């Protein structure tokens, strides 16, 4: 079994910065893509940023130039640096990862439980 645990978040003023972390633990051989999603009440979960093991990234248009995803493969950890935060960035942020594990090197997708980021105006 694999667990993803997010940390960071909390209350931030508009224009400020915050850094989220997500550490994966458990039966892990390696991790392919790692991603951050966010979700607000009544809306679907949306992809914010993603990063392959090799370092290729992609971002939602709404966060380009403000958010940066990075990862430490040795620590099985992904980060999301969020700058110039806006009230509309307020959401629960979820970590997601494609984990290679088990004797057959199967790939399974896992989610963290989420961390709330609130941006006050």
């Amino acid at each position: 079994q694999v667990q993803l645990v997010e940390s960071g978040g909390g209350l931030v003023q508009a224009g400020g910065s915050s850094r989220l972390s997500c550490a994966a633990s458990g039966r892990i051989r390696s991790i392919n893509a790692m991603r951050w999603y966010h979700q607000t009440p009544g809306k679907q979960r949306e992809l914010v940023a993603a990063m392959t093991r090799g370092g290729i990234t992609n971002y939602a248009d709404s966060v380009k130039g403000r958010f940066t995803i990075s990862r430490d493969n040795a620590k099985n950890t992904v980060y999301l640096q969020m700058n110039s935060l806006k009230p509309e960035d307020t959401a629960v942020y979820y970590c997601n990862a494609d984990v290679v594990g088990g004797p057959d090197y199967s790939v399974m997708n896992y989610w963290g439980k989420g961390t709330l980021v609130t941006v006050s105006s």
Side-chain angles (χ1 to χ4, degrees):
Q1 188 69 343
V2 172
Q3 297 81 39
L4 301 181
V5 179
E6 300 100 337
S7 59
L11 179 63
V12 186
Q13 282 194 329
S17 298
S18 184
R19 189 192 196 209
L20 305 181
S21 300
C22 171
S25 62
R27 199 173 187 182
I28 300 171
R29 290 187 180 274
S30 64
I31 302 178
N32 293 339
M34 300 187 83
R35 310 171 186 89
W36 288 99
Y37 286 77
H38 69 194
Q39 187 171 25
T40 55
K43 292 190 175 182
Q44 287 189 332
R45 203 169 289 187
E46 297 178 334
L47 180 67
V48 175
M51 190 172 195
T52 67
R53 183 173 182 82
I56 298 172
T57 60
N58 70 284
Y59 296 91
D61 288 342
S62 61
V63 306
K64 283 180 181 176
R66 300 189 298 122
F67 290 11
T68 302
I69 187 171
S70 61
R71 60 190 283 178
D72 184 332
N73 291 332
K75 295 181 178 179
N76 292 327
T77 299
V78 64
Y79 307 95
L80 186 67
Q81 178 66 43
M82 304 183 293
N83 298 329
S84 302
L85 282 160
K86 305 175 181 180
E88 50 263 44
D89 295 318
T90 296
V92 177
Y93 284 74
Y94 296 91
C95 176
N96 175 269
D98 296 330
V99 177
V100 182
D104 59 351
Y105 290 82
S106 58
V107 180
M108 294 187 67
N109 186 261
Y110 293 92
W111 289 92
K113 293 184 177 180
T115 184
L116 177 63
V117 175
T118 302
V119 184
S120 63
S121 57

